[in-house]
């Protein structure tokens, strides 16, 4: 357990905020697998300020997700403050997180996301302004630097702490690396040693053993798991149990994966309506079926379905096929 401001986080495993993925349906599913903290996908400050309907829908939080962190991004102080105030007063989020890590050009061109990594002074000014505008604890998620020649991770972390943020999550890649290459946990360790607020390490945590090793090597307060949790909330449960007891729980079987995929689909339909949910579930279903025998043909069929009924039929047919194979063998 550790604390972010006055919020108690019950364990050291955190779900990363992933754009296009971390809506309430996904977060709730991961939460049920034991995540200490779940983080929402980033939300535009200008979308919040202009009361854009799609943006405001992204602020929905189920009470069962808590404690949870809602992430905003922006490049201008006035709109960032206004958006943060809206989240503070009009949502049930426990924590307001500022995105300082997104490497995508359409975000960095707006002086948002990882563009801040080039200027510790701007970081201090922006984070401080948000901290003073809201009551909820403010945190930051950042990368190690802009590129290998501009790594100001320690300076940026100190600026974040001095500005009053209550925790910092750091992804061990630069903006230039995007999601390629290897995360540099040595820099994560240096950041942890440089500041006193909780530090959450992120990057290449793919197994419970990875999580334990990184916690021991760097001294970070928690690990953040992102892409390894796609279609695989069991990584959260298995990691929590391994850190608590040293026991490595088996991977789930195909039937269990398909059942959780169906549950995720039902939640997404409730959240977004059938058509939109099924369009989104195509990618999630592919992630859930990863590594299961004969999934290629099934994924192709899933990518053509547009209704809950057709997706359920495909998944049920596949379950029956797999069970028949088990009986034969």
């Amino acid at each position: 357990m550790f604390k972010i401001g006055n919020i108690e986080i019950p364990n050291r495993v955190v779900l990363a905020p992933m754009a296009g993925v971390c809506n309430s349906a996904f977060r709730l599913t991961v939460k049920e697998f034991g995540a200490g903290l779940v983080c929402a996908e980033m939300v535009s400050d200008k979308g919040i300020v202009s009361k854009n309907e799609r943006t405001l829908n992204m602020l929905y939080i189920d009470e069962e997700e808590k404690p949870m962190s809602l992430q905003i991004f922006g490049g201008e102080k006035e709109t960032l403050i206004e958006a943060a105030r809206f989240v503070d007063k009009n949502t049930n989020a426990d924590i307001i997180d500022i995105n300082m890590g997104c490497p995508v050009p359409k975000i960095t061109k707006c002086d948002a996301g990882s563009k801040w990594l080039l200027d510790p002074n701007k970081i201090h000014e922006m984070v401080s302004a948000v901290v003073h505008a809201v009551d909820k604890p403010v945190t930051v998620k950042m990368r190690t630097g802009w590129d290998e020649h501009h790594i100001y991770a320690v300076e940026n972390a100190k600026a974040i702490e001095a500005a009053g943020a209550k925790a910092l999550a750091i992804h061990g890649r630069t903006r230039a690396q995007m999601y390629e290459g290897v995360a540099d946990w040595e820099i994560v360790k240096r950041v942890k040693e440089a500041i006193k607020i909780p530090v959450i390490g992120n990057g290449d945590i793919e197994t419970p053993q990875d999580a334990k090793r990184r916690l021991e090597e760097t001294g970070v307060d928690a690990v953040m798991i992102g892409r390894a949790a796609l279609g695989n909330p069991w990584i959260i449960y298995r990691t929590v149990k391994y850190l608590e007891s040293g026991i490595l729980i088996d991977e789930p079987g195909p039937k269990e994966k398909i059942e959780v995929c169906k549950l995720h689909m039902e939640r997404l339909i409730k959240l977004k309506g059938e058509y939109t949910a099924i369009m989104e579930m195509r990618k999630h279903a592919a992630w859930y079926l990863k590594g299961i025998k004969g999934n290629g043909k099934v994924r192709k069929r899933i990518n053509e379905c547009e209704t809950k009924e057709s997706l359920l039929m495909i998944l049920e047919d596949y379950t029956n096929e797999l069970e028949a194979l088990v009986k034969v063998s």
Side-chain angles (χ1 to χ4, degrees):
M1 192 191 83
F2 67 106
K3 285 183 104 172
I4 295 177
N6 58 345
I7 307 297
E8 285 193 0
I9 313 300
N11 64 53
R12 304 171 78 188
V13 183
V14 177
L15 174 70
M18 292 177 281
V21 172
C22 285
N23 53 50
S24 180
F26 180 72
R27 297 192 308 261
L28 185 55
T29 304
V30 172
K31 187 70 177 187
E32 287 175 348
F33 278 85
L37 177 69
V38 293
C39 303
E41 59 187 317
M42 63 180 187
V43 183
S44 158
D45 63 345
K46 286 189 166 60
I48 294 171
V49 169
S50 65
K51 305 291 192 288
N52 176 279
E53 186 183 355
R54 184 172 168 273
T55 304
L56 294 182
N57 287 340
M58 292 170 75
L59 302 180
Y60 173 76
I61 297 158
D62 189 299
E63 277 294 314
E64 296 297 316
E65 297 175 43
K66 291 161 69 70
M68 72 82 59
S69 166
L70 207 155
Q71 188 183 77
I72 57 175
F73 75 91
E76 295 168 19
K77 194 182 352 178
E78 291 72 23
T79 47
L80 198 67
I81 289 171
E82 200 178 330
R85 281 190 177 130
F86 185 89
V87 170
D88 193 44
K89 301 299 178 205
N90 297 281
T91 78
N92 52 339
D94 299 284
I95 295 160
I96 298 171
D97 189 61
I98 300 172
N99 180 299
M100 236 172 67
C102 182
V104 179
K106 74 174 182 182
I107 304 296
T108 57
K109 277 178 188 166
C110 304
D111 280 337
S114 54
K115 191 66 184 285
W116 293 21
L117 300 172
L118 292 164
D119 189 353
N121 291 329
K122 175 173 182 171
I123 288 169
H124 184 274
E125 180 190 350
M126 298 283 270
V127 175
S128 179
V130 173
V131 166
H132 287 102
V134 300
D135 295 324
K136 296 182 195 284
V138 174
T139 61
V140 171
K141 180 160 192 275
M142 72 173 194
R143 286 179 171 241
T144 54
W146 179 256
D147 58 29
E148 62 182 312
H149 306 295
H150 300 86
I151 293 179
Y152 309 135
V154 170
E155 296 95 317
N156 290 341
K158 286 180 175 176
I160 288 162
E161 181 177 49
K166 299 301 184 189
L168 167 65
I170 174 166
H171 181 164
R173 286 179 172 83
T174 63
R175 183 264 168 186
Q177 280 181 278
M178 301 290 279
Y179 301 97
E180 304 297 323
V182 178
D184 188 338
W185 280 79
E186 190 53 45
I187 295 173
V188 175
K189 183 181 181 185
R190 292 209 298 269
V191 165
K192 173 58 191 168
E193 289 167 349
I195 59 176
K196 292 185 171 62
I197 57 173
V199 174
I200 302 164
N202 176 220
D204 301 339
I205 303 288
E206 294 174 359
T207 66
Q209 297 96 315
D210 288 340
K212 187 170 190 288
R213 188 174 80 254
R214 294 308 188 188
L215 284 163
E216 288 172 353
E217 286 174 355
T218 64
V220 291
D221 300 86
V223 289
M224 182 175 268
I225 297 177
R227 287 174 292 169
L230 298 174
N232 183 25
W234 295 269
I235 182 68
I236 304 289
Y237 177 72
R238 294 174 71 239
T239 300
V240 170
K241 292 299 175 193
Y242 185 66
L243 294 177
E244 286 175 353
S245 67
I247 296 166
L248 199 55
I249 293 164
D250 289 341
E251 297 265 11
K255 190 171 183 183
E256 190 181 345
K257 285 186 175 185
I258 291 167
E259 287 305 312
V260 173
C261 180
K262 289 181 195 172
L263 171 67
H264 187 165
M265 176 194 69
E266 295 287 358
R267 285 178 171 156
L268 203 51
I269 289 170
K270 192 177 168 189
L271 188 69
K272 297 194 174 192
E274 184 173 344
Y275 181 76
T276 303
I278 298 303
M279 291 296 107
E280 277 194 31
M281 272 311 294
R282 290 173 172 188
K283 65 184 178 187
H284 285 286
W287 289 325
Y288 278 105
L289 301 183
K290 192 178 174 185
I292 302 177
K293 189 172 183 178
N295 71 54
K297 286 179 188 170
V298 181
R299 289 206 325 263
K300 198 172 175 187
R301 285 177 64 201
I302 286 169
N303 281 337
E304 292 166 359
C305 70
E306 296 182 358
T307 65
K308 170 186 170 179
E309 189 182 0
S310 59
L311 181 52
L312 274 176
M313 193 184 297
I314 291 165
L315 292 173
E316 279 161 15
D317 286 350
Y318 188 35
T319 304
N320 294 335
E321 273 176 42
L322 291 166
E323 285 178 345
L325 282 170
V326 169
K327 283 173 187 169
V328 168
S329 63

